[in-house]
Amino acid sequence: MSLIPEIKPQQSIELLKELHILTRDGKINQDTRRKLKQVYHLYQFIEPLMADVLAEKGSLTLADHGAGKSYLGFILYDLFLKDKAAAHVYGVETRQELVDKSVELAQRLGFEGMSFLNLTVEQSITSDALPPQVDIITALHACNTATDDAIRFALAKDAKYIVLVPCCQAEVAAVLRRKKNETFGKTALSELWRHPIHTREFGSQLTNVLRCLQLEARGYQVTVTELVGWEHSMKNELIIAKKVGGAKKSARERQESILRELNLEELRQRFAY
Ligand SMILES: C[S@@+](CC[C@H](N)C(=O)[O-])C[C@H]1O[C@@H](n2cnc3c(N)ncnc32)[C@H](O)[C@@H]1O
């Protein structure tokens, strides 16, 4: 058993060194300790979802979008999936050098059930490199609209679970900003985003509200919580969605009302489909 409290008994020390969570002489790296804590924090939420899918199907596919160095995918695989033959994790990432590193690391560790794809999230929706159905989708701080593409991916792949920690999305704030003058005459609600800092923050909140309504409208039950103790500079909202049934008309109607009321109908393609 490891003497470092953060390291779990079944965990690969080699992986932690490769991810620079441990130094070469096996000490915890203070700079990446926070990253490990964050991924563990998320792990607590994702482990029961993986267990549920495996219990139900006996197999599991998980796609991690905007994977970066794939800390999340590697830790999920190492802690829970590596001894399960019918499990596969796909990391989707646009930076070729990060994809190459992850491929090489997975090979070295013998993590056969991991693939890394140099694709945008949008491209991955139609790529043959991914299966037609994927059980769990994760996107941790995937930049800007990559989270929206991850939602589109999840809906196309009929995912049972979707776990999102969105980054700031700039698109909604940009539309609010561009249409400010026009909207002022239409609704007193425009006071909510009159000042530039409020435009940015309200835009960011509204983005996640519209995402949640989109998921509800497509048959998901959604919980939204805060990841306490994460960097303050990041948005740390955790959205977990579980497929529970058919489309929910009332959620679509609420979403449509918001888009109409706030003069954002041009964003329908992004959020209401
Ligand atoms: C802030 S990093 C987060 C990385 C990782 N998920 C984590 O939390 O450590 C965002 C990553 O998403 C990738 N990315 C940005 N837009 C993307 C897109 N449209 N498709 C796929 N990857 C994207 C970036 O290259 C970057 O590695």
Side-chain angles (χ1 to χ4, degrees):
M1 176 133 46
S2 168
L3 295 174
I4 302 171
E6 283 98 336
I7 309 301
K8 300 184 192 297
Q10 76 270 41
Q11 206 152 16
S12 160
I13 299 299
E14 194 185 347
L15 170 66
L16 295 174
K17 285 183 180 174
E18 290 294 338
L19 294 177
H20 302 293
I21 286 167
L22 289 180
T23 59
R24 278 282 139 222
D25 51 0
K27 300 207 172 66
I28 194 99
N29 184 338
Q30 295 306 328
D31 293 339
T32 44
R33 179 178 224 153
R34 183 178 271 274
K35 190 79 212 173
L36 184 64
K37 276 191 161 176
Q38 291 179 348
V39 173
Y40 277 174
H41 193 174
L42 264 190
Y43 180 79
Q44 289 170 29
F45 294 99
I46 301 172
E47 196 225 55
L49 313 185
M50 295 190 291
D52 177 55
V53 171
L54 280 167
E56 187 181 294
K57 294 178 65 182
S59 66
L60 166 79
T61 44
L62 183 149
D64 182 35
H65 286 297
K69 291 181 182 163
S70 282
Y71 284 100
L72 180 62
F74 274 115
I75 299 281
L76 294 178
Y77 193 84
D78 188 36
L79 288 183
F80 193 74
L81 297 171
K82 69 183 171 196
D83 58 351
K84 302 184 174 67
H88 203 101
V89 173
Y90 298 87
V92 175
E93 168 58 48
T94 42
R95 284 176 59 191
Q96 180 73 57
E97 73 279 14
L98 299 182
V99 173
D100 292 345
K101 271 196 161 173
S102 296
V103 168
E104 194 266 323
L105 179 56
Q107 267 169 8
R108 192 140 37 90
L109 296 170
F111 288 0
E112 287 173 8
M114 294 193 84
S115 306
F116 301 91
L117 307 166
N118 181 215
L119 295 169
T120 64
V121 182
E122 193 182 9
Q123 288 164 340
S124 72
I125 298 172
T126 50
S127 164
D128 292 341
L130 287 131
Q133 199 272 323
V134 178
D135 302 305
I136 302 179
I137 312 305
T138 57
L140 171 54
H141 290 144
C143 310
N144 200 4
T145 53
T147 300
D148 300 299
D149 294 335
I151 292 172
R152 209 174 270 273
F153 177 97
L155 296 174
K157 301 289 181 183
D158 195 26
K160 180 162 185 188
Y161 292 109
I162 308 169
V163 180
L164 307 169
V165 182
C167 227
C168 289
Q169 198 251 38
E171 191 183 41
V172 174
V175 178
L176 288 171
R177 197 175 298 116
R178 176 160 48 75
K179 301 188 97 177
K180 228 177 233 185
N181 287 342
E182 188 188 318
T183 314
F184 275 159
K186 288 193 177 162
T187 171
L189 288 177
S190 57
E191 288 299 324
L192 289 171
W193 67 93
R194 181 152 59 100
H195 299 286
I197 182 177
H198 293 163
T199 315
R200 194 184 69 214
E201 299 206 339
F202 181 66
S204 173
Q205 176 170 349
L206 183 56
T207 302
N208 287 343
V209 169
L210 292 168
R211 287 169 172 162
C212 291
L213 285 170
Q214 166 66 358
L215 289 168
E216 284 181 32
R218 295 288 295 262
Y220 286 80
Q221 187 179 65
V222 178
T223 58
V224 186
T225 49
E226 188 187 3
L227 289 160
V228 181
W230 286 39
E231 291 110 300
H232 296 302
S233 56
M234 295 282 221
K235 244 188 116 56
N236 289 314
E237 191 168 321
L238 172 66
I239 300 174
I240 300 183
K242 177 184 182 181
K243 180 90 189 190
V244 287
K248 194 168 169 190
K249 201 163 152 256
S250 61
R252 177 67 74 223
E253 284 165 2
R254 278 175 279 143
Q255 196 193 35
E256 288 287 349
S257 302
I258 291 173
L259 292 173
R260 215 174 24 251
E261 183 87 11
L262 304 187
N263 202 17
L264 293 173
E265 279 155 310
E266 68 187 81
L267 290 170
R268 189 172 287 118
Q269 286 282 84
R270 169 70 68 202
F271 297 107
Y273 53 90

